[in-house]
Amino acid sequence: MTTWVALLRGVNVGGITIRSADLAAVFAALGFESVRTVLASGNVVFDAGGAASTRAKLKTAIEGALRDRFGYDAWIVLVTLGELATAADGFLFDDADASRQPWVIFCVDDATRDELVGAAAQLDASADPVASGPGVVYWNPVKGTTVDTPFAKILAKAAYKPRTTNRNLRTLRRILG
């Protein structure tokens, strides 16, 4: 049995509202065990049989079930609980700096991560610090600037919508319990 974390993109923002109980019910109906939602930002922890090699199959099934149940074009990033812990533990910036916002951007593949890190390398790193991590991009902008920085504008491109989702480091710690 593998413990997975589904990180939904774009729920409870922009008019797509999904109650946690309804979200958990979708995962339970798919036959997953120990389903729990964390916060109201589209985080679902669940157990499923099979090895990590079933990731693509699980992702497709979950996205299809979300589309059918909630009527929106669902995208998720699916990671194991261990992968999420590694990403959170590896945050490369000072997460105690109260003037900054510690973000972890989860990518569907290493090519997406490398593309984002490459684009960020062209930016002013002191104003918009970005670093590569295991399957993720770490981003540590000044609080209140997360939609205005040059890197934020890169992340907002339509090409990244189905390939990334971001979480605050504090949210990841809540998911990890």
Short mmCIF file of all heavy atoms in Angstrom, two decimals, residues 7-41:
data_model
loop_
_atom_site.label_atom_id
_atom_site.label_comp_id
_atom_site.label_asym_id
_atom_site.label_seq_id
_atom_site.Cartn_x
_atom_site.Cartn_y
_atom_site.Cartn_z
N LEU A 7 -2.49 16.81 -5.16
CA LEU A 7 -2.47 18.26 -5.02
C LEU A 7 -3.27 18.83 -6.19
O LEU A 7 -2.80 18.84 -7.33
CB LEU A 7 -1.03 18.77 -5.04
CG LEU A 7 -0.10 18.18 -3.98
CD1 LEU A 7 1.35 18.55 -4.25
CD2 LEU A 7 -0.54 18.64 -2.59
N LEU A 8 -4.49 19.24 -5.92
CA LEU A 8 -5.36 19.76 -6.96
C LEU A 8 -4.98 21.19 -7.29
O LEU A 8 -4.59 21.95 -6.41
CB LEU A 8 -6.82 19.72 -6.51
CG LEU A 8 -7.50 18.35 -6.50
CD1 LEU A 8 -6.93 17.40 -5.47
CD2 LEU A 8 -8.98 18.52 -6.28
N ARG A 9 -5.10 21.53 -8.54
CA ARG A 9 -4.78 22.89 -8.97
C ARG A 9 -6.08 23.66 -9.19
O ARG A 9 -7.00 23.18 -9.83
CB ARG A 9 -3.99 22.88 -10.26
CG ARG A 9 -3.68 24.30 -10.72
CD ARG A 9 -2.85 24.32 -11.99
NE ARG A 9 -2.82 25.67 -12.51
CZ ARG A 9 -1.78 26.50 -12.35
NH1 ARG A 9 -0.72 26.11 -11.72
NH2 ARG A 9 -1.83 27.71 -12.86
N GLY A 10 -6.13 24.87 -8.63
CA GLY A 10 -7.20 25.81 -8.95
C GLY A 10 -8.54 25.56 -8.30
O GLY A 10 -9.55 26.04 -8.81
N VAL A 11 -8.59 24.85 -7.18
CA VAL A 11 -9.88 24.67 -6.51
C VAL A 11 -10.00 25.68 -5.38
O VAL A 11 -9.02 26.11 -4.78
CB VAL A 11 -10.09 23.24 -5.98
CG1 VAL A 11 -10.11 22.25 -7.12
CG2 VAL A 11 -9.08 22.87 -4.95
N ASN A 12 -11.25 26.05 -5.11
CA ASN A 12 -11.61 27.03 -4.09
C ASN A 12 -10.99 28.40 -4.38
O ASN A 12 -10.74 29.18 -3.47
CB ASN A 12 -11.29 26.51 -2.69
CG ASN A 12 -12.13 25.28 -2.38
OD1 ASN A 12 -13.21 25.09 -2.95
ND2 ASN A 12 -11.63 24.41 -1.53
N VAL A 13 -10.74 28.64 -5.66
CA VAL A 13 -10.36 29.96 -6.19
C VAL A 13 -11.00 30.08 -7.57
O VAL A 13 -11.29 29.07 -8.20
CB VAL A 13 -8.82 30.13 -6.32
CG1 VAL A 13 -8.14 30.12 -4.98
CG2 VAL A 13 -8.22 29.09 -7.24
N GLY A 14 -11.23 31.26 -8.01
CA GLY A 14 -11.72 31.45 -9.38
C GLY A 14 -13.05 30.80 -9.68
O GLY A 14 -13.30 30.40 -10.82
N GLY A 15 -13.92 30.64 -8.69
CA GLY A 15 -15.26 30.12 -8.93
C GLY A 15 -15.40 28.61 -8.86
O GLY A 15 -16.50 28.09 -8.97
N ILE A 16 -14.32 27.88 -8.65
CA ILE A 16 -14.41 26.43 -8.50
C ILE A 16 -14.35 26.11 -7.01
O ILE A 16 -13.29 26.16 -6.40
CB ILE A 16 -13.27 25.72 -9.25
CG1 ILE A 16 -13.32 26.05 -10.74
CG2 ILE A 16 -13.34 24.21 -9.03
CD1 ILE A 16 -12.09 25.63 -11.50
N THR A 17 -15.51 25.84 -6.43
CA THR A 17 -15.59 25.58 -5.00
C THR A 17 -15.93 24.12 -4.78
O THR A 17 -16.93 23.61 -5.32
CB THR A 17 -16.65 26.47 -4.34
OG1 THR A 17 -16.32 27.84 -4.62
CG2 THR A 17 -16.69 26.26 -2.84
N ILE A 18 -15.11 23.46 -4.00
CA ILE A 18 -15.33 22.05 -3.69
C ILE A 18 -15.22 21.87 -2.18
O ILE A 18 -14.18 22.18 -1.59
CB ILE A 18 -14.31 21.14 -4.41
CG1 ILE A 18 -14.41 21.31 -5.93
CG2 ILE A 18 -14.50 19.68 -4.01
CD1 ILE A 18 -13.36 20.56 -6.71
N ARG A 19 -16.27 21.38 -1.59
CA ARG A 19 -16.24 21.11 -0.15
C ARG A 19 -15.36 19.90 0.13
O ARG A 19 -15.32 18.95 -0.65
CB ARG A 19 -17.65 20.84 0.38
CG ARG A 19 -18.55 22.05 0.38
CD ARG A 19 -19.97 21.77 0.86
NE ARG A 19 -20.29 20.36 1.02
CZ ARG A 19 -20.66 19.80 2.18
NH1 ARG A 19 -20.78 20.49 3.26
NH2 ARG A 19 -20.93 18.51 2.21
N SER A 20 -14.66 19.95 1.24
CA SER A 20 -13.73 18.87 1.60
C SER A 20 -14.43 17.52 1.68
O SER A 20 -13.89 16.50 1.23
CB SER A 20 -13.03 19.19 2.92
OG SER A 20 -12.16 20.29 2.74
N ALA A 21 -15.63 17.48 2.25
CA ALA A 21 -16.35 16.21 2.37
C ALA A 21 -16.69 15.64 1.00
O ALA A 21 -16.58 14.43 0.78
CB ALA A 21 -17.63 16.42 3.19
N ASP A 22 -17.07 16.50 0.07
CA ASP A 22 -17.38 16.04 -1.29
C ASP A 22 -16.13 15.54 -2.00
O ASP A 22 -16.17 14.56 -2.73
CB ASP A 22 -18.03 17.16 -2.10
CG ASP A 22 -19.38 17.58 -1.55
OD1 ASP A 22 -20.03 16.77 -0.87
OD2 ASP A 22 -19.78 18.73 -1.81
N LEU A 23 -15.03 16.23 -1.78
CA LEU A 23 -13.75 15.82 -2.37
C LEU A 23 -13.33 14.46 -1.84
O LEU A 23 -12.96 13.56 -2.59
CB LEU A 23 -12.69 16.88 -2.06
CG LEU A 23 -11.30 16.67 -2.65
CD1 LEU A 23 -11.35 16.54 -4.16
CD2 LEU A 23 -10.40 17.83 -2.24
N ALA A 24 -13.42 14.28 -0.53
CA ALA A 24 -13.07 12.99 0.08
C ALA A 24 -13.96 11.87 -0.45
O ALA A 24 -13.50 10.75 -0.70
CB ALA A 24 -13.16 13.09 1.59
N ALA A 25 -15.24 12.17 -0.68
CA ALA A 25 -16.17 11.16 -1.18
C ALA A 25 -15.77 10.67 -2.58
O ALA A 25 -15.92 9.48 -2.88
CB ALA A 25 -17.59 11.72 -1.20
N VAL A 26 -15.27 11.56 -3.41
CA VAL A 26 -14.81 11.16 -4.75
C VAL A 26 -13.67 10.15 -4.64
O VAL A 26 -13.66 9.13 -5.33
CB VAL A 26 -14.38 12.39 -5.58
CG1 VAL A 26 -13.65 11.97 -6.84
CG2 VAL A 26 -15.59 13.25 -5.92
N PHE A 27 -12.73 10.43 -3.76
CA PHE A 27 -11.58 9.53 -3.59
C PHE A 27 -12.00 8.20 -2.98
O PHE A 27 -11.51 7.14 -3.39
CB PHE A 27 -10.49 10.22 -2.75
CG PHE A 27 -9.66 11.19 -3.55
CD1 PHE A 27 -10.19 12.41 -3.96
CD2 PHE A 27 -8.37 10.87 -3.91
CE1 PHE A 27 -9.43 13.30 -4.71
CE2 PHE A 27 -7.60 11.76 -4.66
CZ PHE A 27 -8.14 12.97 -5.06
N ALA A 28 -12.92 8.24 -2.04
CA ALA A 28 -13.42 6.99 -1.45
C ALA A 28 -14.16 6.16 -2.50
O ALA A 28 -14.01 4.94 -2.56
CB ALA A 28 -14.33 7.30 -0.26
N ALA A 29 -14.94 6.83 -3.36
CA ALA A 29 -15.68 6.13 -4.42
C ALA A 29 -14.74 5.46 -5.42
O ALA A 29 -15.10 4.47 -6.06
CB ALA A 29 -16.63 7.09 -5.13
N LEU A 30 -13.53 6.00 -5.56
CA LEU A 30 -12.53 5.38 -6.44
C LEU A 30 -11.89 4.15 -5.80
O LEU A 30 -11.07 3.48 -6.43
CB LEU A 30 -11.45 6.40 -6.81
CG LEU A 30 -11.87 7.47 -7.82
CD1 LEU A 30 -10.84 8.59 -7.89
CD2 LEU A 30 -12.09 6.85 -9.19
N GLY A 31 -12.24 3.88 -4.54
CA GLY A 31 -11.73 2.69 -3.86
C GLY A 31 -10.47 2.93 -3.04
O GLY A 31 -9.85 1.98 -2.56
N PHE A 32 -10.08 4.18 -2.86
CA PHE A 32 -8.90 4.48 -2.07
C PHE A 32 -9.23 4.37 -0.59
O PHE A 32 -10.37 4.55 -0.18
CB PHE A 32 -8.37 5.87 -2.40
CG PHE A 32 -8.03 6.04 -3.86
CD1 PHE A 32 -8.38 7.19 -4.54
CD2 PHE A 32 -7.36 5.05 -4.57
CE1 PHE A 32 -8.06 7.36 -5.88
CE2 PHE A 32 -7.04 5.20 -5.91
CZ PHE A 32 -7.40 6.37 -6.57
N GLU A 33 -8.21 4.10 0.20
CA GLU A 33 -8.39 3.92 1.64
C GLU A 33 -7.77 5.07 2.41
O GLU A 33 -6.93 5.80 1.88
CB GLU A 33 -7.74 2.60 2.06
CG GLU A 33 -8.36 1.39 1.38
CD GLU A 33 -7.65 0.10 1.74
OE1 GLU A 33 -6.99 0.03 2.80
OE2 GLU A 33 -7.76 -0.85 0.96
N SER A 34 -8.18 5.21 3.67
CA SER A 34 -7.64 6.21 4.58
C SER A 34 -7.62 7.61 3.96
O SER A 34 -6.65 8.35 4.07
CB SER A 34 -6.23 5.82 5.04
OG SER A 34 -6.22 4.54 5.63
N VAL A 35 -8.71 7.96 3.30
CA VAL A 35 -8.81 9.25 2.62
C VAL A 35 -9.00 10.37 3.64
O VAL A 35 -9.84 10.27 4.52
CB VAL A 35 -10.00 9.25 1.62
CG1 VAL A 35 -10.17 10.62 0.99
CG2 VAL A 35 -9.83 8.16 0.57
N ARG A 36 -8.17 11.41 3.49
CA ARG A 36 -8.37 12.61 4.33
C ARG A 36 -7.98 13.83 3.51
O ARG A 36 -7.05 13.80 2.71
CB ARG A 36 -7.58 12.54 5.63
CG ARG A 36 -6.08 12.62 5.49
CD ARG A 36 -5.38 12.54 6.87
NE ARG A 36 -3.96 12.44 6.73
CZ ARG A 36 -3.11 13.47 6.72
NH1 ARG A 36 -3.58 14.69 6.90
NH2 ARG A 36 -1.82 13.29 6.58
N THR A 37 -8.74 14.88 3.70
CA THR A 37 -8.42 16.15 3.05
C THR A 37 -7.71 17.02 4.08
O THR A 37 -7.93 16.88 5.29
CB THR A 37 -9.68 16.86 2.53
OG1 THR A 37 -10.55 17.13 3.63
CG2 THR A 37 -10.39 16.01 1.48
N VAL A 38 -6.87 17.91 3.58
CA VAL A 38 -6.11 18.80 4.46
C VAL A 38 -6.33 20.23 3.99
O VAL A 38 -6.02 20.56 2.83
CB VAL A 38 -4.61 18.45 4.45
CG1 VAL A 38 -3.85 19.37 5.39
CG2 VAL A 38 -4.39 16.99 4.82
N LEU A 39 -6.88 21.04 4.86
CA LEU A 39 -7.23 22.42 4.55
C LEU A 39 -8.23 22.44 3.40
O LEU A 39 -8.65 21.41 2.91
CB LEU A 39 -5.98 23.25 4.25
CG LEU A 39 -4.92 23.27 5.37
CD1 LEU A 39 -3.64 23.95 4.91
CD2 LEU A 39 -5.49 23.98 6.61
N ALA A 40 -8.63 23.60 2.99
CA ALA A 40 -9.64 23.70 1.93
C ALA A 40 -9.00 24.15 0.62
O ALA A 40 -9.57 24.91 -0.14
CB ALA A 40 -10.73 24.68 2.35
N SER A 41 -7.79 23.65 0.37
CA SER A 41 -7.08 24.11 -0.82
C SER A 41 -6.74 22.97 -1.77
O SER A 41 -5.79 23.06 -2.55
CB SER A 41 -5.81 24.87 -0.42
OG SER A 41 -5.01 24.09 0.43
#
